[in-house]
Structures are given as C-alpha cells and as structure tokens.
Amino acid sequence: MHSPILTNLKRLLLPLVGRKPQPLRKDQNAFRFKYANFQELLESNSDVLRTIASLEEMLPGREVFGMSFLQSAASQAVFHCLRMLRGYENLSGEKLPALRERIEAIREELKNILASGRGVAQGPWFLDLDEIAQRSGEFVGGKCANLAETRNSAGMPVPDGFCVTTAAFRAFLEHSDLDSEIAKRTMGLDASDPASLQQASEDIQRLILLAPFPDGFEAQLLERHAALALRTGQGNGDFRVSLRSSAVGEDGALSFAGQYLSVLGVAPGKVAESYRYVAASLYTPRAMAYRLLKGVPDEAAAMAVVCLEMVRSRSSGVLYTRHPFEPGNSDVLINAVWGLGPYAVDGVVNPNRFSVDRESLEIISQDVPGQEVRLECGLAGGLVESAVDQDSRSKACLSPLDVKTLARWGLQLEEHFGAPQDVEWAQDEAGRLLVLQSRPLAAGPAEGAAQARRKPLDGYTVLAEGGDAACPGAGCGPVFIVRREDDLAEFPEGGVLVADHSSPSFMVAMNKASAIVTEHGSVTGHMASLAREFNVPTVLGLRGAMSTLEPGARVTVDATNRRIYAGRVEPLLAENGVAPAPMLGTPVHDLLKRVSVLVSPLHLVDPKSPAFTPQHCATLHDVTRFLHERCYAAMFRLGDQASGEGGMAVRLDVGIGLDLHVIDLGGGLRDEVAGADRIKRDDVLSRPFMALLRGLADKDFVASGPRPVQLRGFLSVMGRQMIDGANQGAERFGEKSYAIVSDKYLNFSSRVGYHYGVLDSYCGKTVAKNYITFAFKGGAAGEDRRERRARAIALILEALGFKVAVTGDRVEGRFQKYPPDIIEEKLVQIGRLLQFTRQTDMLMTSDSAVPAMVESFLRGDTVFGASCPLPPSDG
C-alpha cells in the first residue's frame, strides 16, 4: 500500500539506482575528440550570446554602426550555430537533420534581408528632366527627383537639363569590377577614425577616376549634352553646364548637405571627366562618414548626376520657409550673396539676410554686412574669385520685389511638398530668378531653442560672445583649432572645433565634437544643416574666435545664447537632456530590427515543453538554447562511461561531499598516479582545479554540518517527488560529478540530485585567454523556489564581478580577461558558492529569501540561515 511513497522517498534520499553503464574503452584520443566538440559547442554558444548582446546594444540607436556590423553579426551567429550542431552530433552520435534545416532556413532569410540594402542595378542610363517623376528617386537620386518635381508639377522656373542615372553608375562599376574593390576598402570602416576614411577615400576615388566607361556611355553622354544645348538655343561649342550630385537618398529624409561634389561652368570637352569627379565624390571621407553615422548601407549608395544649363548668377543663395529650430518663428528666411551660390552655402562670405512675414510677405528685417569678393564662371572654364565692384559691396543683393517673389515661391513649394523647405536659388544676369534645388528643411532640436534667451551666468567668465546660433544647445571640451582639412584626422573625442570658415568637410568630426565655432558662416549653409542633423551645438560668424580661444583650453559653448565660457559650466550642460539616438529610423537600423527578429528572441524556455524541439526553433537563440540544454546530458553520459569499469576517469577523495571523478587531458594530475583508481588532492596539478578545490574543500563550508531546513520547504520538496513520481526520473542528473582538467584548463560538472552546476575555466599567464563561465540550473523544489535561488545566485555572481544572465531557474555568468591570480580568487569563491547553495531551494520560501541569501554569502556565512532567522514563508 505504501510502496509508491517508499519508492519515491528512496528516489529523493538515495542515489539513483539503475543499470550499470557500459564501460568505455580506454581510448584517451576518442574521449578527447568528443570533449573537444563539447568545448567547441560551449565556446560557440558564448559567441552567439555575445552577438545577440551586441545586436541588442545597437537597438536603442545611440551607437553608430554600418552594414559591415550587420553582415558580420549575422554570419557569425549562423556559423556558430552550425558549429554547435556539428559539435553536438560528434559528441552524442545523434543526427539532427531537422535542426540543420531550420538553421539553413534562417540563414537564407538573413541573406535576403541584407541583400535588400542594395539598390536597383537595371534601368535607363539617361533621362531628361521632363521624363522624371518624383518617385524616380531610385534612378535619379533625391536632388534630381525633387528638381524635376519642382519643374514639372509645381511649375517653378528651373534650368533645363538631364540626368545620368544610378543605373549608368552601377553599370560603370560593374564594367570595371569596382564593386568588389570598393567593398574591400569600405568593410569595417570606423566613422571616428578620419585617417582610415581618408585612406579608403583616396584608394576608391583613384580607382573610379582611372576606370574605363562602359561601351557607348561617353558617346550617349555627349549626345545628351548637344541636345540640351540645342534646346536652350546655345551653340554647343561654348555651352556651359553644371554637373550636380544627386545620390540615392540625397535631399530626402537625409540631406547629405555638401557631402558630394558639384562642378560648375563645365565646358563641352570636360563633361565626361567632370562626371567622373562627381561620381567619385560618393566616396569622399565626409560622405562615407555621413553614411556610417546616418546608417545608410554602403551597398545602397549610388550616384546619379544631374546636368543642368549653367546659370551665370548675378546673385544666389538659400531660403528656409521657416526657422530651422525656433518653433515659434514662422518667418521665411532668405540669405543672398553676389555671384555663385557656393560662397553662400559653404560660409565663405557673410550673406545678406532677410526675414519675411509668411502671411503678408512683408520684409520684417534685413541685414547687409557688405561683400568684397564673389565667385563666378571663368572665361576659360571653371570658377574664379573676383572683387565685387565698389558700388555693389554695401548694396543688397536682391530688390524688395525679388525677396517677396522668392518668399512666395518658397511657401508654394512648402505646400506642394507638404513640409518646410530648404531652397537654393539663383538670379541670372538678366534678373531672372530660378530654383536650383528644393529639399526638406533639416530642422534642429527645438528643445534647446525653446529656452528663453538669458543674460550671462554669474560666477563664470565669458570669453567670447556674438555670431549666429546654427544649432542650439551647450557643449564642453578642449579647444581644437582646424586650419586645414588634414587637421581633422587628429580631432579629439569631445573637442570644440574652432575654424575660420564653416565647411561640410567637418562632417568627419561631428560624431566626436561637443560643439563647433567658426568666424564665418551662415545658418542656411551646408555645415549648419549638418550640425542640426547631428545635434552639435554650433555658433557661426563669431569674429575673433580663433585668436581668442586658446588651443587645448577647456571651454563651454552656449550656442543657444551665442556665448563661450571658460571652463565647464554645469548648469548649461545639465539642460542638454537625454543623449540623441542618431541611428533610429535610418535604413540600416531598420535592417538591424529585421535581423534581430531572426537572431535574438528566445521562445524555447521550457525544456519540459512538447514544443522544445528542433522544429520549433524560430531564431538562432532558440537553436543555441536547444543544443546547450541537450549537450550537458550528452556530456554527463560520456563522463559516466569514462568513469566506468576500464574507463579513464579516476575518483578524487577530497572530503567535499561530492562523488567526484577526474579526467586528465594532460598535465592536470601528477604523472605518478597514471593507472590509479583513486587519487588525493595533492595529486592535482591543474591550476584552475586547485583553486576551485580550495573553495569546495573550505573546512568551514564542508564542516558546517547539516543545512537548516524549514518544514514547509522540506515538505514541498517531498510532496513534489511523491506526487510526480517516476516522471521526475528524466530530470534527475545523478550523483557523480566530473572534472576534466589540464594544467591550465578546467571543466567541472557538479551534479547533486536534481540540480547541476557547470564551470568552464582557463587560467594561464596570457590574460586575454583567461576566463570563467559558470551555469547553474535545477532543483527539487517547485518552480518559484528554483527561480528564487537562481536570482540569488545571479546577484552573488554580479557582486563577484561576473556578467550574468538569468532564464527561469537557469543562471549563467562569465568573467574574462583577468590575471591568473584574480581568476583563481574567483574560482575559490565559486567553489564556496557551490557548497553554500546546496539544498537551498527548499529555503527559498518567499521573495525576501533572495536578498537574505545574497547578504548571507557575501557576509561570509558558511550556511544560509545559520546565523540569522530565515525569511518568512509566502504562505
């Protein structure tokens, strides 16, 4: 009548009795092969988990990464999953074709996702502006698509022209096999390393400039040029054009302001050569840095080039249909310079500035600082700087009627495109106004501008004041003077960039700069747009900054109030708020989310579930979880065979309460014990194993007597065994524990009834190789008590310096790259922890037991509950 209860009591309190395992032949090489596969499996499991962690670190969007990171993460995760599968099959002798199919299916999905970052390779090589719709951006780039829309749909005056499409660009690269050469040089580039960007840029641009065009390309280009000259009524012999970059993604959600090249005043014989230069500008250092920092896959980068009738500008400039970072300021802002536009957008001269009321189109204010030089087309081609005639220097570049006309056009474009616009315009020598570009306005952070203008802060020294705020906010760092573009290679992390003129080339330092100050420049210029995109506090037009600010001196730039203070001004810096997440919403971040869905989520959390099968592995994390769970059972079986009659394991008599068997892979035991059935602690030479034994055999822990038992916890464990009966047999791990050792290596598998702890460690002179991994799982109590013990162990490991992950009743910790003496110290603590945690699952009667157990171990107690009252039960 009572035999089932007695049977289950015996199952709980006595070692498992079963059929004696078949002995393994005394073949150390065969065992080493299987064990090497076990070790490879554990290494790959750790590598996949590190990959998952790196993906999760990137998801908030604060860290910069590119396609190379995604490709590497995906390929590494797949590789290590296949390596784990191979290791398990070699270890266990069990083939898992269904799991291999799942891994291959996930690999194919990842491949398709990453391939989606590539652009369209087929299509027409040339399109006239009249043939282009706004939706053609994939073929003609954002700038050209917007310009064609402005001309064809919005009805604005735009110079006539045609586009050399991205299909032509890709055909150019494919014809000369440049794709693979470019990929080699862009793989793994770091936006924070200007020197590497510069070297890659020089190599790639050289290849593009020397590569042959596809058959027929140059002839068709010249035919299009001649047709454009005919349409505009000009003789082809002296017909000048401008070749303007129109890369994929340019002038869309991302501005790419000033990152690519435009060549103005191009003579007929220079059209093909100029196309090369514009195409090669896809790989300038600042353009590559911009793509990396904005999460644009390099594989998706392609250059279209729009060829326009050249406008010999009397004046030119930029208009914003509203203020870029002051929400309450809806005025239209217009900047203008004499001559061609580059002097306006590149900050070479301080422009005329006009503010126009958007309702009445009345000019609210204007500022005409005077202009001494202008940029114009040279008689022999190209561009030249010339003096502005004396009468015009102090005059406005635009008449009031011209200002109102431009403001009205800007508002019409804002309505047409459905968003505030950044418009480039020109006025030809006959006084005709033309639109050269319209793109979404790159607005800066509104929160910085919302702060009321304030007086200088008391107690702080103002070094300089004035100029214009191009991007509000505050930044602090050492002053770094930039006189030449080469200086950017040495720009320090957190520095304040100070220069004479604003320049889009500063792009390569914007991910490092805490602030930017220039003596010349405009808030409507290219660099100002970039500063707002990257949220870098920026003051432009602050005269005397280069002579006033001492290189290396720490300053605080209050861009909102256009002041520079000596030292660090904490009240200003505290107002900056949460750090931005620049990668959110970028194309490469969208790909990251899609990749992560196939790699990171864990669905297989319960090994007892019927769904814990290869067929239900939806992610690579599921694959690792499945194989990691199965590999320990396989290794335990192997250990049982090795310790059987005629096996190679020897029993260690050390008085630690464990049936411990040791397998020596070489150098872990004294040579004199070869062939012995039993050994003693003095026979151990393995450095990590000796350290672990010091903790396991700590006389205070071993001699501390029986563990305190709460009746409720004990009855809970007893009840579970008696009710569940034989079903628990599959969960019981047995009583033997194994140490697989060499002189510097240890794999220790501790099994006591229904829980196990597995420790893997290397401890040698090479710090980079040293590590400890530790996993603990199981118990005889209910799920809630097992999980509490896992949480307590996790907190103890964290206190010891481990990086820890907890899933249910499983806790895993890793400690790596420390000197051998510190590794040994941690191994001693793990040994004590293994002794300390025995039978504690029945003590975890409430959540308050978790911190109590942690405090008890860290205090030095040898037994949980021995020196203080146990926490109350949860009922």
Side-chain angles (χ1 to χ4, degrees):
M1 174 177 175
H2 297 291
S3 58
I5 295 178
L6 293 174
T7 299
N8 289 322
L9 280 172
K10 178 182 289 188
R11 190 186 310 277
L12 172 67
L13 300 174
L14 297 178
L16 182 66
V17 178
R19 182 179 299 176
K20 188 174 182 180
Q22 293 298 313
L24 178 72
R25 288 188 307 105
K26 206 162 190 176
D27 185 346
Q28 195 170 21
N29 289 333
F31 182 86
R32 282 181 171 176
F33 170 75
K34 287 183 176 288
Y35 180 70
N37 281 278
F38 174 64
Q39 191 174 13
E40 278 191 1
L41 190 154
L42 294 180
E43 289 173 354
S44 285
N45 179 70
S46 295
D47 285 329
V48 175
L49 294 179
R50 278 195 292 273
T51 297
I52 291 171
S54 67
L55 291 172
E56 291 175 347
E57 285 175 5
M58 298 301 177
L59 280 172
R62 294 188 180 90
E63 300 293 329
V64 175
F65 63 93
M67 281 295 290
S68 60
F69 166 77
L70 288 183
Q71 290 162 341
S72 174
S75 62
Q76 286 292 312
V78 170
F79 167 79
H80 284 294
C81 281
L82 289 171
R83 188 175 182 235
M84 287 181 72
L85 177 58
R86 182 192 65 198
Y88 176 77
E89 290 180 339
N90 289 339
L91 171 64
S92 67
E94 176 188 12
K95 297 296 182 183
L96 296 174
L99 189 59
R100 188 175 297 276
E101 289 177 8
R102 286 301 305 132
I103 298 173
E104 292 295 345
I106 294 171
R107 172 156 66 177
E108 191 63 26
E109 288 185 71
L110 289 169
K111 179 181 176 182
N112 292 336
I113 288 171
L114 296 174
S116 67
R118 297 184 178 277
V120 177
Q122 302 299 321
W125 285 2
F126 301 92
L127 289 170
D128 288 334
L129 285 186
D130 292 343
E131 302 176 277
I132 298 170
Q134 189 180 17
R135 61 181 181 274
S136 306
E138 208 168 3
F139 288 106
V140 301
K143 181 183 293 184
C144 186
N146 288 350
L147 198 60
E149 180 73 8
T150 300
R151 173 188 172 98
N152 301 334
S153 297
M156 296 288 171
V158 171
D160 196 3
F162 64 90
C163 180
V164 188
T165 69
T166 57
F169 175 77
R170 294 190 185 282
F172 175 34
L173 297 188
E174 291 173 5
H175 179 71
S176 300
D177 195 28
L178 291 180
D179 278 324
S180 59
E181 294 299 321
I182 291 172
K184 288 179 190 175
R185 290 161 174 82
T186 56
M187 181 65 69
L189 281 179
D190 183 353
S192 64
D193 183 2
S196 68
L197 291 171
Q198 182 66 38
Q199 184 60 57
S201 171
E202 291 176 1
D203 291 347
I204 294 170
Q205 291 192 78
R206 185 184 305 111
L207 290 171
I208 292 174
L209 294 177
L210 295 176
F213 286 125
D215 295 341
F217 171 81
E218 193 166 1
Q220 292 182 53
L221 175 63
L222 296 180
E223 287 174 8
R224 290 277 177 163
H225 179 270
L228 177 60
L230 186 62
R231 288 201 304 272
T232 58
Q234 302 183 53
N236 193 32
D238 59 355
F239 177 56
R240 301 295 177 86
V241 295
S242 62
L243 293 181
R244 297 168 65 89
S245 67
S246 185
V248 171
E250 189 176 2
D251 289 355
L254 303 175
S255 72
F256 286 86
Q259 298 311 294
Y260 302 127
L261 181 66
S262 291
V263 184
L264 307 182
V266 178
K270 298 289 187 178
V271 175
E273 178 185 344
S274 297
Y275 169 80
R276 283 185 188 276
Y277 283 111
V278 178
S281 74
L282 191 67
Y283 294 99
T284 62
R286 60 179 184 259
M288 290 191 293
Y290 186 96
R291 288 198 295 272
L292 286 168
L293 293 169
K294 287 297 183 181
V296 178
D298 197 72
E299 291 83 347
M303 179 64 77
V305 177
V306 58
C307 180
L308 298 175
E309 173 191 3
M310 181 65 200
V311 180
R312 297 178 182 270
S313 302
R314 183 177 72 181
S315 64
S316 54
V318 179
L319 77 82
Y320 287 175
T321 59
R322 60 178 57 243
H323 197 283
F325 55 80
E326 292 184 1
N329 186 347
S330 61
D331 296 339
V332 178
L333 307 180
I334 299 175
N335 282 11
V337 297
W338 293 113
L340 297 173
Y343 272 18
V345 296
D346 291 344
V348 177
V349 298
N350 289 328
N352 294 191
R353 293 180 293 186
F354 305 89
S355 293
V356 182
D357 181 82
R358 67 190 295 115
E359 301 297 334
S360 66
L361 296 184
E362 293 298 321
I363 299 174
I364 299 171
S365 66
Q366 71 178 46
D367 177 30
V368 181
Q371 181 180 338
E372 297 183 353
V373 295
R374 57 180 280 169
L375 191 67
E376 61 183 8
C377 289
L379 296 177
L383 304 179
V384 295
E385 182 178 281
S386 65
V388 176
D389 65 82
Q390 197 68 39
D391 292 340
S392 299
R393 288 184 181 183
S394 58
K395 290 183 179 178
C397 302
L398 293 170
S399 71
L401 178 60
D402 293 334
V403 171
K404 292 182 180 182
T405 299
L406 286 172
R408 185 175 68 254
W409 287 1
L411 294 174
Q412 289 172 355
L413 288 169
E414 180 179 273
E415 182 178 359
H416 181 83
F417 287 108
Q421 294 293 293
D422 169 356
V423 181
E424 289 188 23
W425 57 270
Q427 186 176 45
D428 67 15
E429 293 171 328
R432 183 178 57 142
L433 291 169
L434 296 153
V435 176
L436 303 180
Q437 174 180 301
S438 189
R439 64 185 176 204
L441 176 60
E447 59 272 15
Q451 301 166 7
R453 297 291 184 261
R454 59 165 60 131
K455 296 179 180 179
L457 297 178
D458 293 336
Y460 297 96
T461 302
V462 175
L463 299 175
E465 186 171 7
D468 296 310
C471 180
C476 177
V479 171
F480 186 88
I481 305 292
V482 174
R483 302 185 188 279
R484 299 174 301 278
E485 194 168 331
D486 290 348
D487 294 338
L488 295 169
E490 304 299 325
F491 190 84
E493 187 72 38
V496 173
L497 192 157
V498 179
D500 184 20
H501 290 286
S502 61
S503 171
S505 66
F506 297 165
M507 172 67 250
V508 297
M510 283 189 180
N511 64 317
K512 292 182 175 182
S514 63
I516 298 174
V517 179
T518 70
E519 295 198 12
H520 300 86
S522 166
V523 296
T524 59
H526 285 155
M527 197 209 76
S529 294
L530 295 171
R532 290 190 290 273
E533 283 190 52
F534 288 92
N535 194 24
V536 182
T538 299
V539 177
L540 304 180
L542 180 55
R543 299 295 179 90
M546 294 185 70
S547 58
T548 302
L549 302 180
E550 184 179 346
R554 185 168 296 276
V555 300
T556 296
V557 177
D558 177 6
T560 304
N561 297 286
R562 297 164 295 163
R563 293 191 190 95
I564 301 176
Y565 293 87
R568 183 176 180 85
V569 182
E570 200 61 49
L572 288 173
L573 301 173
E575 295 173 352
N576 279 344
V578 180
M583 302 299 287
L584 288 182
T586 65
V588 77
H589 191 270
D590 291 339
L591 292 177
L592 166 67
K593 291 189 289 186
R594 295 172 64 190
V595 167
S596 295
V597 166
L598 293 174
V599 177
S600 300
L602 180 62
H603 308 98
L604 300 190
V605 295
D606 183 6
K608 298 186 291 295
S609 169
F612 199 86
T613 65
Q615 291 82 356
H616 287 89
C617 289
T619 67
L620 297 181
H621 199 170
D622 289 337
V623 171
T624 63
R625 177 73 172 88
F626 178 83
L627 291 171
H628 193 259
E629 185 71 23
R630 296 282 290 267
C631 79
Y632 285 116
M635 193 62 198
F636 287 151
R637 289 195 297 271
L638 181 62
D640 288 336
Q641 291 175 330
S643 65
E645 192 175 317
M648 54 184 289
V650 295
R651 184 169 182 173
L652 174 62
D653 293 328
V654 73
I656 58 175
L658 295 176
D659 185 9
L660 180 55
H661 298 255
V662 183
I663 301 168
D664 184 18
L665 299 179
L669 301 176
R670 290 193 305 112
D671 292 339
E672 291 80 1
V673 302
D677 293 327
R678 292 174 179 266
I679 59 172
K680 296 183 178 180
R681 182 173 170 182
D682 291 344
D683 296 321
V684 175
L685 300 179
S686 170
R687 187 170 185 175
F689 191 30
M690 286 192 293
L692 181 70
L693 287 174
R694 287 204 298 274
L696 283 170
D698 187 312
K699 64 181 185 304
D700 293 329
F701 282 81
V702 176
S704 57
R707 302 297 192 250
V709 175
Q710 282 196 352
L711 182 60
R712 178 180 294 276
F714 179 72
L715 292 178
S716 171
V717 175
M718 295 282 289
R720 178 187 179 215
Q721 303 308 311
M722 289 186 288
I723 293 170
D724 292 345
N727 291 335
Q728 295 299 320
E731 293 183 36
R732 188 173 178 88
F733 298 107
E735 299 299 338
K736 290 180 180 178
S737 298
Y738 298 97
I740 302 167
V741 300
S742 70
D743 56 341
K744 301 172 185 175
Y745 177 75
L746 165 67
N747 182 273
F748 178 75
S749 304
S750 167
R751 294 183 289 172
V752 180
Y754 294 90
H755 76 254
Y756 71 76
V758 177
L759 181 148
D760 199 74
S761 178
Y762 186 91
C763 182
K765 293 182 180 179
T766 306
V767 171
K769 291 184 178 181
N770 291 342
Y771 69 90
I772 305 170
T773 59
F774 177 68
F776 188 94
K777 173 181 168 54
E783 182 177 347
D784 55 347
R785 299 177 189 235
R786 300 198 312 272
E787 290 184 356
R788 287 170 188 152
R789 178 166 63 176
R791 282 162 31 213
I793 293 173
L795 291 171
I796 291 171
L797 290 175
E798 286 182 348
L800 295 177
F802 282 69
K803 292 183 178 180
V804 181
V806 181
T807 305
D809 67 345
R810 173 196 291 272
V811 57
E812 298 184 32
R814 186 169 183 87
F815 186 87
Q816 60 184 342
K817 297 183 180 180
Y818 281 89
D821 57 331
I822 296 180
I823 294 290
E824 289 177 308
E825 175 190 328
K826 301 302 178 182
L827 288 170
V828 172
Q829 294 284 7
I830 292 294
R832 291 172 177 158
L833 182 62
L834 285 169
Q835 292 286 15
F836 182 83
T837 54
R838 291 177 63 186
Q839 300 177 22
T840 51
D841 50 356
M842 68 179 66
L843 303 179
M844 310 305 288
T845 55
S846 69
D847 285 341
S848 60
V850 174
M853 177 175 166
V854 176
E855 292 170 9
S856 178
F857 180 82
L858 297 179
R859 187 169 51 239
D861 295 347
T862 58
V863 176
F864 177 36
S867 64
C868 63
L870 290 170
S873 167
D874 56 7

